[in-house]
Amino acid sequence: MDLIPFIRNIPGFPKPGIIFRDITPMLANAEAFDYAIDKMIEPFVHAKIQKVVAIEARGFILGTVAANKLKAGFVPIRKKGKLPFKTDLESCSLEYGSASIEIHADALKEDERVLLIDDVLATGGTMAAACRLAERQKATIAGIAFLCELDFLGGRKLLQNTIHSVLHF
């Protein structure tokens, strides 16, 4: 199945010069959504994933479904101040600014096999920060999966683990 027709390009969002890759048309199509998740997790189905760790907000949509398909738990990584329990914080650089993300301090166990998921790999700053959070909790990162990768931004170079992207722009 070709997923490209289900990804809408929004020029100038969130600021001029950026083309936002909108996945909501794909999410609205049950067959495309199911196919996309299957393709995202395909390299990891035999990796004995125990937790899927996903980044707010679109990563949650993909990550919860992936966790369910992998029979794994789900762990959210959120923007600073959004999680209710004790957290671990990491700062990151974005394509158009900077941010801080958090994970619950007790979210992952030592040597627990995790798959990190987000919708788009752009500059790699957010996912690199998410990896640092997982590593601080001594989890084993089995891989990283994205629906889309913006190759021209080179975000892959910031990541050390096995990376799988379904679509490349």
Side-chain angles (χ1 to χ4, degrees):
M1 168 180 264
D2 182 9
L3 293 172
I4 296 292
F6 296 98
I7 309 297
R8 181 173 31 212
N9 295 326
I10 311 289
F13 183 83
K15 68 180 216 174
I18 294 179
I19 299 174
F20 184 80
R21 305 296 175 171
D22 180 14
I23 67 168
T24 57
M26 184 209 68
L27 298 174
N29 182 290
E31 184 181 0
F33 187 20
D34 187 59
Y35 179 80
I37 298 295
D38 286 345
K39 292 313 249 179
M40 285 182 75
I41 66 171
E42 190 173 65
F44 308 106
V45 293
H46 299 295
K48 299 179 180 162
I49 302 298
Q50 295 168 284
K51 298 266 177 69
V52 170
V53 179
I55 301 170
E56 182 175 351
R58 290 172 304 276
F60 289 1
I61 299 165
L62 303 170
T64 53
V65 177
N68 183 265
K69 285 183 175 243
L70 291 168
K71 306 285 189 243
F74 175 77
V75 173
I77 289 183
R78 300 213 55 196
K79 293 173 186 156
K80 183 179 177 182
K82 299 291 185 180
L83 290 172
F85 186 65
K86 182 181 173 189
T87 61
D88 189 9
L89 174 75
E90 186 68 38
S91 295
C92 55
S93 296
L94 307 172
E95 183 179 358
Y96 47 86
S98 63
S100 293
I101 57 174
E102 294 180 316
I103 190 171
H104 275 142
D106 64 351
L108 302 172
K109 294 177 177 54
E110 188 171 345
D111 296 323
E112 196 163 41
R113 294 183 58 76
V114 300
L115 173 62
L116 284 93
I117 286 184
D118 205 1
D119 64 325
V120 176
L121 172 57
T123 61
T126 305
M127 185 55 77
C131 289
R132 291 190 297 272
L133 288 171
E135 289 164 351
R136 270 207 296 275
Q137 293 194 6
K138 298 185 168 71
T140 299
I141 299 174
I144 305 168
F146 299 95
L147 178 62
C148 305
E149 182 171 345
L150 308 178
D151 296 326
F152 66 95
L153 290 174
R156 183 176 284 257
K157 70 179 181 253
L158 288 182
L159 306 173
Q160 307 294 313
N161 307 86
T162 300
I163 303 161
H164 172 65
S165 299
V166 177
L167 301 172
H168 293 267
F169 294 95

